[in-house]
Amino acid sequence: MKLRLFSALLLAGLLTAAAAFARQPVDELYDKAEYRIAMRDSVKLYTAVYTPKTDAKAPILIFRTPYGCAPYGPGEFPRGFGSGYMRSYIDRGYIVVMQDVRGRFMSEGEFVHVRPAGYGETDETTDSYDTVEWLVKHVPHNNGRVGFAGSSYPGFYAMMGGLCTHPAVKAVSPQAPVTDWFMGDDVRHNGVLMLTDSYRFLSGMNTPPGHTPTEKMPPMSKRTRPDEWTFFREHATLAELTELQRPNPFWEELAEHSSYDAWWQARDLRRACYNVQPAVLVVGGTFDAEDCFGAWNLYRAMVRQSPATPCHLVVGPWAHGAWRNGSGKLGAFDFGREAAWEYYMEHFELPFFDHYLKGEGAADPLPAAAVFSSGDNRWHAFDRWTPREARKLTFYLSDGGRLETRRPTAKSSASAYTSDPADPVPYIESFGERRPKEYMLADQRFVSDRSDVLTFVTEPLDGDMTLAGPVDVELEVILSTTDADFVVRLIDVFPDDDPQSGCRMLVRGDVMRGRFRDGFSRPKAFTPGVPARVPFRMTDIAHTFRAGHRVMIQVQSTWFPLAERSPQQFVDVWTCGASDFVPCKVSVLHQRSNASSVTVWRLGES
């Protein structure tokens, strides 16, 4: 009894001390030092090092970023160190390092977007190596173990840190990492320019040659006034937008690489991920509007190409970066306490770094894949992704707007619509200057009366159905022109007696440029009037359709202005004029010899 009482009092005392520590101002707990670390080519990178005011050995956690390390100057601490995500590492006594990448803010050199590994004598892996080498030799009281972390573009740099081969690097966490800007992240999806995001982001990140270190980059971001719908209707062609962007070297390079050529392939992060030495924690959100593709597909490549690497995947029902600051709510949906950032940190990221950098906690701190399914709002642990226990389930588009699991038997059957670039299908109900993150799960009823959107729906489900894995689309189509885009949306239709009566929740949607149907490096025109197969993969999902709900598939050819409009002719989209945009009649076949389908992975079915 006395031992239990002593243990309880000791625990209470420790908790009280921890709480008091957490309330202390950062400048009472940490020192700040600023360095300009010389890389192997003598270019100096600004590096801020925050060290605990103790003599205890501590690991180093590095955040490399193109977005700046403000506030600069001695004694100035980031506001985020006071609470939230970064405070978690302060309270655990980590040595925190923040670095401006080459050519941005206070660092010297030339900035190159998604600089490929092997880009000349220096690249992001060599800069990471040189930084680690300097830190472990010069920062007092480090324990010789180093990690990298970063979200979004910094997620790309975190993975580059994992590829640097320095023996002190033990763990890295690329979160929503920019992975492949042609196939699925911010800039393009399946070859289609994601118009609103790329125009704003690439202008804001424009870094002309001749960079001089500065605490504030010159303002370059372009506005879409009065709103994105009106702006992109008035500036209708990529040629016109290019003139508005000039001078913008990277945007202009996009025009020179309209297919998945060697230039793009070199910028695919996955191609460097072989024999990775540190442990890796890949993090993403199923409703991330920016880099959803990157998390799923970097993890998939890691497991395939570097099987000996301890690699973990954590994906929750999050918008971009919400695992660091989100409440568990997005749009009209509340996913509960276990979707909040505090739960994520306590159960996933902190145990990962504490184990590999401090030697604390369980020997196997995380499952191979921890994925949260929306709909039933719960976490699942898997020994791999796609889950071993999942089975393929194919939905076939059928006449009368039916969506069935039986292949169609009709000899001749099709549904048709006319896609008109002058009257595009909107991606969201109302518009502002920026793309809202909530569009990823928004109610889709706002397009219910559009004649250029085909709808196919199941009967109400008899029981719950959890889908976990990629979504593979196969459309059989006939066009009246030589090219078109194809947008497919997978939707959860709520029953009328649900609190969200009749809601059509977007579960996954994506766009595919038809000319790339035979390969993204081999654009090919359609022959008008001749059937053609258009296969493509949409990013993974984790969602439970509840009993009484229905599964809906919608097919269309514009998704504006989220995605650029196709001219619907086999012309150069970067140089064509407004007169080259023409209507196209699209027939989607659902017949015995040409069946259009969507294939998913279902849990719990043998």
Side-chain angles (χ1 to χ4, degrees):
M1 177 66 71
K2 291 182 179 180
L3 180 60
R4 284 200 296 269
L5 177 60
F6 174 78
S7 298
L9 291 172
L10 176 62
L11 177 59
L14 291 173
L15 291 174
T16 300
F21 185 86
R23 287 193 296 269
Q24 279 186 264
V26 178
D27 59 3
E28 294 181 6
L29 302 171
Y30 270 64
D31 292 316
K32 177 183 180 180
E34 295 177 296
Y35 304 99
R36 284 159 179 80
I37 301 177
M39 301 293 102
R40 62 192 62 187
D41 60 353
S42 299
V43 168
K44 296 178 180 178
L45 304 189
Y46 171 87
T47 308
V49 180
Y50 301 89
T51 54
K53 294 185 178 191
T54 70
D55 294 335
K57 294 286 186 179
I60 298 172
L61 187 59
I62 303 174
F63 298 84
R64 303 187 69 235
T65 178
Y67 300 135
C69 296
Y72 298 95
E76 297 289 339
F77 289 81
R79 184 178 302 175
F81 280 21
S83 62
Y85 173 82
M86 289 302 301
R87 183 70 192 211
S88 301
Y89 290 107
I90 298 298
D91 290 345
R92 277 171 162 73
Y94 278 71
I95 298 168
V96 176
V97 174
M98 306 186 78
Q99 184 180 73
D100 288 332
V101 299
R102 181 179 291 248
R104 294 287 292 177
F105 289 88
M106 290 294 288
S107 286
E108 299 174 351
E110 176 194 7
F111 176 73
V112 176
H113 271 298
V114 287
R115 188 191 306 262
Y119 185 88
E121 295 183 0
T122 59
D123 57 32
E124 304 306 338
T125 66
T126 64
D127 285 355
S128 297
Y129 187 103
D130 295 347
T131 298
V132 173
E133 181 73 1
W134 191 94
L135 291 170
V136 296
K137 289 181 177 179
H138 293 90
V139 175
H141 308 304
N142 78 81
N143 69 358
R145 292 172 174 259
V146 178
F148 285 85
S151 178
S152 190
Y153 213 151
F156 165 83
Y157 293 106
M159 192 64 233
M160 284 295 179
L163 301 177
C164 79
T165 71
H166 196 290
V169 180
K170 303 300 182 183
V172 299
S173 181
Q175 302 167 13
V178 167
T179 299
D180 189 331
W181 268 351
F182 189 91
M183 295 303 301
D185 290 315
D186 312 74
V187 178
R188 294 178 187 249
H189 285 201
N190 298 309
V192 179
L193 187 72
M194 301 308 284
L195 191 58
T196 56
D197 280 5
S198 61
Y199 184 80
R200 176 182 52 81
F201 174 73
L202 293 178
S203 65
M205 285 293 294
N206 188 11
T207 309
H211 171 72
T212 299
T214 177
E215 293 186 8
K216 291 185 178 181
M217 297 294 290
M220 303 289 285
S221 185
K222 304 292 185 181
R223 305 292 293 271
T224 53
R225 292 175 171 170
D227 58 70
E228 56 179 3
W229 175 271
T230 304
F231 177 85
F232 289 113
R233 290 292 295 271
E234 293 177 349
H235 305 283
T237 67
L238 294 185
E240 185 176 355
L241 293 175
T242 298
E243 291 304 314
L244 294 176
Q245 287 273 9
R246 291 187 195 276
N248 188 325
F250 189 78
W251 180 275
E252 293 164 38
E253 282 185 295
L254 296 182
E256 300 171 9
H257 302 281
S258 58
S259 64
Y260 197 55
D261 58 13
W263 185 85
W264 276 115
Q265 293 168 27
R267 285 157 177 76
D268 179 354
L269 174 59
R270 295 169 293 180
R271 292 174 180 264
C273 294
Y274 290 87
N275 302 315
V276 180
Q277 299 306 306
V280 179
L281 171 62
V282 183
V283 182
T286 43
F287 302 115
D288 184 342
E290 297 172 41
D291 298 302
C292 186
F293 173 93
W296 299 106
N297 289 287
L298 176 61
Y299 172 80
R300 193 171 272 121
M302 282 286 307
V303 170
R304 182 177 63 251
Q305 298 168 188
S306 191
T309 303
C311 188
H312 309 275
L313 174 71
V314 176
V315 180
W318 298 310
H320 193 60
W323 49 92
R324 290 184 169 200
N325 56 23
S327 66
K329 299 178 181 179
L330 181 60
F333 298 92
D334 185 345
F335 299 109
R337 187 189 68 83
E338 292 189 359
W341 75 271
E342 296 95 338
Y343 185 92
Y344 159 76
M345 289 296 287
E346 179 184 351
H347 290 83
F348 301 116
E349 185 171 329
L350 292 174
F352 172 77
F353 279 123
D354 283 351
H355 173 70
Y356 288 106
L357 300 186
K358 301 178 80 173
E360 298 176 358
D364 295 310
L366 301 178
V371 179
F372 188 101
S373 59
S374 50
D376 58 351
N377 297 344
R378 65 188 185 97
W379 285 99
H380 304 260
F382 302 110
D383 64 0
R384 73 175 191 185
W385 187 267
T386 302
R388 192 181 308 276
E389 53 269 44
R391 297 294 180 266
K392 283 187 177 181
L393 173 64
T394 298
F395 291 105
Y396 292 96
L397 315 188
S398 299
D399 57 5
R402 291 176 292 116
L403 188 63
E404 301 182 326
T405 56
R406 293 177 298 177
R407 188 180 180 90
T409 58
K411 184 177 180 180
S412 178
S413 181
S415 299
Y417 62 92
T418 296
S419 172
D420 186 354
D423 183 23
V425 180
Y427 78 96
I428 198 74
E429 189 168 13
S430 60
F431 296 92
E433 286 192 48
R434 298 170 65 95
R435 182 262 308 139
K437 61 185 178 182
E438 295 83 4
Y439 96 85
M440 291 288 289
L441 43 54
D443 191 337
Q444 301 296 295
R445 282 180 286 187
F446 64 93
V447 296
S448 297
D449 60 350
R450 300 272 315 198
S451 63
D452 52 357
V453 177
L454 299 182
T455 299
F456 304 87
V457 65
T458 65
E459 293 297 318
L461 299 176
D462 292 331
D464 289 357
M465 179 177 68
T466 299
L467 305 183
V471 180
D472 289 305
V473 176
E474 188 170 309
L475 298 179
E476 297 279 353
V477 301
I478 296 175
L479 304 187
S480 65
T481 62
T482 53
D483 198 15
D485 292 342
F486 298 93
V487 176
V488 173
R489 290 179 290 152
L490 172 62
I491 295 167
D492 184 345
V493 182
F494 287 54
D496 291 340
D497 60 358
D498 189 272
Q500 298 191 57
S501 175
C503 174
R504 295 182 176 183
M505 174 190 177
L506 181 63
V507 175
R508 180 65 75 232
D510 218 336
V511 60
M512 167 73 180
R513 179 134 292 164
R515 66 177 64 185
F516 294 123
R517 65 196 180 279
D518 289 346
F520 290 97
S521 302
R522 303 188 304 277
K524 176 183 177 182
F526 288 80
T527 301
V530 176
R533 175 175 171 269
V534 182
F536 68 100
R537 171 166 284 190
M538 300 202 291
T539 303
D540 299 58
I541 60 172
H543 181 75
T544 297
F545 292 79
R546 306 309 297 259
H549 290 223
R550 294 184 291 166
V551 181
M552 177 181 285
I553 298 292
Q554 291 189 321
V555 182
Q556 60 205 56
S557 287
T558 52
W559 209 17
F560 188 77
L562 181 69
E564 60 164 325
R565 290 170 289 184
S566 167
Q568 304 191 148
Q569 300 190 83
F570 192 70
V571 297
D572 187 341
V573 298
W574 285 92
T575 60
C576 68
S579 62
D580 292 312
F581 287 73
V582 299
C584 174
K585 180 181 178 183
V586 179
S587 296
V588 178
L589 307 180
H590 34 68
Q591 56 199 34
R592 185 172 56 213
S593 58
N594 304 90
S596 297
S597 65
V598 175
T599 298
V600 294
W601 292 82
R602 181 176 185 179
L603 290 178
E605 289 286 307
S606 60

